[in-house]
Amino acid sequence: SSDVCSSDLLKGKTKGKVIVDLNCLEARLLLYIDHDFEKYLGNDVLNFFPDNFYPNAEFTVMPDDKYVRTLEEVDILLCLGAFGFSLISHPSESVTEVESVKYVLEKHKPEIVIFELVQNAIFPNIEESYKLVSDRLLNLGEDWTAKRRVRIYERKLLRGE
């Protein structure tokens, strides 16, 4: 699954970090990563959040376009699932998610960004500021939305930073 794939690639990179799981649904990644992060923050429009108590995790029922404006810090941004209504036009996806991610990238400049995208979708202009460090194909079923890629980007240091 994308959670296992993402957790492998985050090994050793979460200590003291603020992780934001945008439109997280069940936040399943929490089952697989080390809990050495400072905070794990997640949102969704429905409460399918984990029943287990995670001391440094906070979940909020709120649409992504409003939620991202409440964030104070983002070191690692997670966008898992069939990500991006405007990229794939699938009715189960947020119509504002792509704009919400752009907002987080510009305002908070996270060190790591992980997308789970339908196979051929590409997040617009990400490679201007981020370097693709992993691109893995997942086949989660027959439907075209089940052909996924997990893409992990790390922020490029730009002059003056």
Side-chain angles (χ1 to χ4, degrees), residues 11-74:
K11 195 125 192 96
K13 297 181 179 184
T14 57
K15 186 171 182 152
K17 302 297 183 186
V18 175
I19 301 171
V20 172
D21 194 345
L22 200 59
N23 297 323
C24 67
L25 197 61
E26 299 165 338
R28 289 186 318 247
L29 190 62
L30 278 169
L31 299 172
Y32 302 103
I33 62 171
D34 292 331
H35 287 220
D36 58 356
F37 47 82
E38 180 183 330
K39 286 188 213 170
Y40 190 104
L41 306 173
N43 80 293
D44 215 313
V45 292
L46 299 172
N47 185 348
F48 287 107
F49 305 134
D51 293 332
N52 309 26
F53 175 72
Y54 295 100
N56 295 342
E58 299 171 22
F59 300 100
T60 305
V61 176
M62 186 182 293
D64 56 78
D65 57 331
K66 292 179 177 44
Y67 182 70
V68 295
R69 283 161 175 70
T70 70
L71 298 171
E72 295 177 8
E73 184 179 0
V74 181

Side-chain angles (χ1 to χ4, degrees), residues 147-161:
K147 311 293 187 226
R148 309 272 180 91
R149 295 192 101 80
V150 176
R151 292 185 168 185
I152 299 183
Y153 293 89
E154 291 182 356
R155 190 163 69 87
K156 298 175 186 175
L157 289 180
L158 304 175
R159 269 193 291 243
E161 291 188 313

Side-chain angles (χ1 to χ4, degrees), residues 122-141:
I122 296 174
F123 192 83
N125 304 319
I126 184 82
E127 293 183 5
E128 291 175 9
S129 302
Y130 287 83
K131 175 182 165 193
L132 180 65
V133 295
S134 179
D135 186 1
R136 294 190 183 175
L137 183 62
L138 300 176
N139 188 349
L140 304 174

